[in-house]
Amino acid sequence: MKKIALFIKPDVKSEEYARKFCEISGVDFFESATAAGVKPDAVVCFGGDGTILRAVPYAVKNDAPVISVNTGALGYLSSFGTDDRELFCKTLLQDNIDYDEINLFSVKSSGCAEDLLFLNDVVIQRKTCENFPSCAVSVRVFVDDKLCQSFNADGVIVSSPIGSTAYSWSAGGAVLAPDVSAVIITPICAHSNARPIVISDKCKIGIELGEKSHDCVVCADGKYAFALHGKERIVIGLAEKKLKLLRGNTDYYTRLNMKLLKWGNDNV
């Protein structure tokens, strides 16, 4: 019997759909947090895109595909909707799940022993504190060790094509189609003419702070990772590992129109 690890958004709706879907599936489900040492055949998420992002490190570590049921508001990366129970069960029982391999990116820092992986984006942003509650920071961006941009801002976002429809998009960055081999560097509220720039994902991106800048925090896929100090540089590039993700049957541009361009209409 297949062993399936569960990631469930902690709300009543997601927990109820998880129970209903699991009851009729005929596979062995287990909570990932309580079953150390059990290798899953797949990772199933009930929630939205945030739940998928939370499952990424576990799925990559176990080389398991991610399958998701959207019980959240957006569910841009989701495999199924809440009406797809039969198709969900049929998919889980297949011997070989047909998944896409999605590029992941890594963040290297002298302050971290291991590379940090992300699917959507890494954000370097000002660290608010009592003495400096709203001060901008000085950011220097290097591409293959050549200075690309310098600016004062609230921070900077380095986003994958998958993540270009997330924070970077809200900050004024372009949307990248998922098959584009590129990343987008998006300043956050820059105090200058600095603008988003798209570069090849084969490049190495270096980010450091100006000499008089305040410390920053580094967040990957929405989670705090570490603090960045003035004399440190982080380096961002393609990771060797990829995420196995089962995507829905709806094509990319239909999802873009349905779920992003109309996002504000039904979800304010």
Side-chain angles (χ1 to χ4, degrees):
M1 181 179 291
K2 283 190 173 182
K3 296 184 181 297
I4 308 296
L6 285 174
F7 281 78
I8 305 172
K9 183 180 179 180
D11 62 25
V12 174
K13 179 181 178 182
S14 300
E15 291 170 358
E16 179 63 18
Y17 274 109
R19 183 186 63 80
K20 290 179 178 179
F21 274 57
C22 293
E23 282 178 350
I24 63 171
S25 63
V27 298
D28 182 13
F29 289 97
F30 64 92
E31 290 281 357
S32 58
T34 60
V38 180
K39 184 173 176 58
D41 296 296
V43 176
V44 170
C45 300
F46 288 89
D49 291 346
T51 307
I52 296 174
L53 293 178
R54 183 162 58 91
V56 166
Y58 178 88
V60 172
K61 179 180 178 180
N62 288 280
D63 194 30
V66 173
I67 302 168
S68 56
V69 178
N70 178 32
T71 62
L74 185 57
Y76 187 67
L77 297 174
S78 294
S79 314
F80 301 107
T82 52
D83 296 327
D84 296 329
R85 271 189 281 182
E86 290 186 7
L87 183 57
F88 169 82
C89 296
K90 181 180 178 181
T91 300
L92 285 189
L93 295 173
Q94 291 176 355
D95 290 334
N96 296 300
I97 297 173
D98 188 16
Y99 54 78
D100 294 333
E101 288 196 331
I102 310 297
N103 282 336
L104 294 171
F105 292 81
S106 69
V107 181
K108 299 178 185 293
S109 168
S110 59
C112 290
E114 296 183 359
D115 291 355
L116 184 69
L117 296 181
F118 68 90
L119 172 65
N120 262 8
D121 52 39
V122 62
V123 180
I124 299 91
Q125 62 188 22
R126 60 185 175 86
K127 179 181 179 181
T128 58
C129 62
E130 184 177 354
N131 294 329
F132 304 102
S134 59
C135 291
V137 292
S138 299
V139 179
R140 304 177 73 199
V141 180
F142 298 82
V143 177
D144 288 339
D145 289 325
K146 297 175 183 177
L147 182 63
C148 174
Q149 293 191 80
S150 296
F151 49 83
N152 292 329
D154 285 350
V156 63
I157 306 162
V158 178
S159 171
S160 70
I162 289 288
S164 70
T165 53
Y167 190 11
S168 174
W169 185 65
S170 299
V175 173
L176 304 182
D179 56 351
V180 174
S181 299
V183 293
I184 181 166
I185 303 168
T186 307
I188 305 172
C189 298
H191 298 185
S192 66
N193 289 324
R195 291 293 182 266
I197 181 170
V198 177
I199 65 169
S200 168
D201 63 9
K202 306 299 188 295
C203 297
K204 294 293 184 183
I205 301 168
I207 295 179
E208 61 184 39
L209 305 181
E211 292 182 2
K212 298 182 180 180
S213 181
H214 305 296
D215 292 349
C216 282
V217 294
V218 178
C219 300
D221 284 344
K223 298 177 184 178
Y224 171 82
F226 54 87
L228 181 64
H229 306 290
K231 294 183 179 180
E232 295 180 49
R233 178 188 288 196
I234 62 172
V235 179
I236 301 160
L238 270 176
E240 294 182 0
K241 296 181 179 178
K242 296 178 181 287
L243 175 69
K244 298 176 180 178
L245 178 66
L246 177 69
R247 295 203 235 190
N249 294 325
T250 309
D251 70 87
Y252 171 77
Y253 294 101
T254 299
R255 293 201 315 276
L256 185 67
N257 182 61
M258 291 174 59
K259 294 191 174 183
L260 280 181
L261 301 185
K262 297 181 180 179
W263 166 242
N265 294 346
D266 302 318
N267 296 281
V268 174

